[in-house]
Amino acid sequence: MSEPATSELSATARAMVAPGKGILAADESTGTIEKRFKGIGIDNTEAHRRDYRDLLFTTQGLGQHISASILYDETLRQKGHDGTAFPELLARQGVIPGIKVDTGAKPMALCAGETVTEGLDGLSKRCAEYVKLGAKFAKWRAVITIGPGIPSQACVIANAHALARYAAICQASGLVPIVEPEVLMDGDHTIERCEQVSEWTLREVFGALVSQRVKLEEMILKPSMVVSGKDCKRQAGVQEVAERTVKVLKRTVPAAVPGIAFLSGGQSDELATEHLDAMNRLGAKQGGLPWVLTFSYGRALQAPALKAWKGSSANVAAAQAALAHRSRMNGLAATGKYQVDLEKKAA
Ligand code: 13P
């Protein structure tokens, strides 16, 4: 045995998917947060971005159901109102700080309508700085679009390869990689098509991870769920989404991966919670699953908080109560103990 049975990275990965906890994705780039702020009519200034992240991260008891939070470069360097750097502030809440390291999904050459995620150049240097700033893990999002004649094999392979190169660089730098291949919900495709593309994508991703020598024990998978396209006439119900998603994951994700933390991808907050709960209940019925199934939601955790806040300090307590509530609901769903009527007893 040349390697210890439990590395520091595998311990971090397991802590990120601790029972009843999930990840708060708060890594919106400056461009993406602008879209969210527009929805509540506030300007996208550095001060507003800082105020908003301060609100999220100082929510009392955040660490009860949130294991970790993904930050954007600017946020990792900012300080809260009390002068504490955000990574330190999160760590005090018992929340592991992490960092989005890709530089975005860019149009892919010779593949109309498709993107490939960039950010590998200089990545190991950036990772070394992020480690110094307190990050324990990283995230890279690949985007797969379903449409007439797409995804192409070129796109799936290029994105899988980039994810694997990123994951290897993270592990070598001392960061746990969150590997996020998102199959978009946009379009009128059926759930059957989403299932087929999701299975294909995950197969390519794990093939690439293994060939780049990524240690499966030291990573987290962040996939999309298998759902009907947003504009598809037949919208599959909660049970069908749960069954198809678990089936695809069982076929493609090795048991050595400690946890799978789903993105919400534009699902409503309550539906994202219901889906996660249904998968965990199904897993229990099947005698348990090889990995933890939890959440790494952005919009589905933050939307009610953002709506309550509206940019006003008078609404901070209400916004924090909304975040605490969604965190608790998803914490229950992560163990298959959520019930829709709990929503009525909102915080
Ligand atoms: P959503 O849950 O809003 O999809 O965000 C998660 C995320 O981190 C996307 O990269």
Side-chain angles (χ1 to χ4, degrees):
M1 286 283 287
S2 57
E3 295 196 21
T6 309
S7 69
E8 196 183 319
L9 291 191
S10 74
T12 301
R14 280 184 279 111
M16 288 165 70
V17 294
K21 293 191 186 190
I23 301 167
L24 168 63
D27 60 324
E28 299 84 2
S29 64
T30 304
T32 301
I33 201 74
E34 174 150 5
K35 286 188 221 154
R36 310 276 184 265
F37 281 180
K38 242 188 202 142
I40 55 163
I42 75 158
D43 290 340
N44 187 20
T45 61
E46 203 223 316
H48 279 155
R49 293 193 292 274
R50 197 272 309 253
D51 289 348
Y52 178 58
R53 268 63 181 250
D54 187 67
L55 171 171
L56 297 177
F57 302 155
T58 59
T59 297
Q60 212 185 348
L62 186 69
Q64 244 176 309
H65 302 292
I66 301 296
S67 57
S69 183
I70 320 170
L71 313 189
Y72 183 59
D73 182 279
E74 175 187 83
T75 320
L76 194 76
R77 301 169 195 278
Q78 280 174 323
K79 293 184 167 77
H81 288 139
D82 74 351
T84 312
F86 280 141
E88 167 63 21
L89 201 153
L90 284 167
R92 278 191 210 156
Q93 289 265 48
V95 175
I96 305 167
I99 177 78
K100 179 229 290 293
V101 300
D102 67 70
T103 55
K106 304 286 160 60
M108 183 163 160
L110 308 184
C111 292
E114 298 189 286
T115 61
V116 62
T117 300
E118 296 187 351
L120 289 173
D121 287 354
L123 180 57
S124 91
K125 213 167 139 204
R126 286 193 290 130
C127 284
E129 190 197 359
Y130 289 143
V131 167
K132 282 198 194 124
L133 288 168
K136 302 286 181 206
F137 68 93
K139 175 193 117 166
W140 177 291
R141 172 174 173 259
V143 180
I144 304 295
T145 308
I146 301 181
I150 59 171
S152 64
Q153 192 176 36
C155 172
V156 173
I157 288 177
N159 276 291
H161 180 76
L163 274 169
R165 289 271 298 124
Y166 139 81
I169 292 167
C170 284
Q171 290 183 346
S173 308
L175 293 168
V176 170
I178 293 184
V179 172
E180 180 178 359
E182 175 170 8
V183 176
L184 292 179
M185 281 167 66
D186 300 343
D188 62 0
H189 55 271
T190 62
I191 190 168
E192 287 83 1
R193 177 83 175 122
C194 178
E195 178 180 317
Q196 181 207 11
V197 171
S198 301
E199 183 169 337
W200 173 24
T201 301
L202 286 169
R203 261 190 221 299
E204 294 292 349
V205 167
F206 279 96
L209 288 168
V210 170
S211 61
Q212 296 301 321
R213 307 179 176 180
V214 171
K215 295 186 186 115
L216 300 178
E217 293 80 0
E218 299 180 354
M219 62 162 276
I220 299 294
L221 177 71
K222 175 165 173 165
S224 38
M225 298 178 195
V226 176
V227 293
S228 307
K230 232 172 21 199
D231 303 322
C232 179
K233 278 200 208 86
R234 189 180 84 81
Q235 288 294 310
V238 170
Q239 201 52 34
E240 184 176 355
V241 168
E243 280 167 18
R244 289 185 187 269
T245 305
V246 168
K247 179 174 75 179
V248 165
L249 294 172
K250 278 189 162 182
R251 285 180 172 179
T252 55
V253 185
V257 173
I260 297 173
F262 293 99
L263 61 94
S264 60
Q267 297 178 34
S268 78
D269 48 1
E270 291 185 21
L271 193 55
T273 308
E274 278 186 65
H275 284 152
L276 177 62
D277 185 66
M279 284 188 258
N280 277 308
R281 285 177 195 258
L282 180 66
K285 250 196 242 157
Q286 294 177 351
L289 297 169
W291 0 254
V292 173
L293 289 188
T294 189
F295 58 94
S296 175
Y297 296 159
R299 283 161 286 181
L301 273 173
Q302 294 184 48
L306 201 54
K307 220 170 115 197
W309 179 50
K310 296 188 201 78
S312 163
S313 56
N315 298 329
V316 165
Q320 291 183 327
L323 174 66
H325 176 67
R326 284 263 53 84
S327 304
R328 193 167 72 85
M329 294 300 102
N330 284 305
L332 289 168
T335 47
K337 295 194 178 103
Y338 169 76
Q339 281 159 6
V340 180
D341 45 338
L342 287 170
E343 296 289 354
K344 310 289 173 286
K345 300 171 201 150

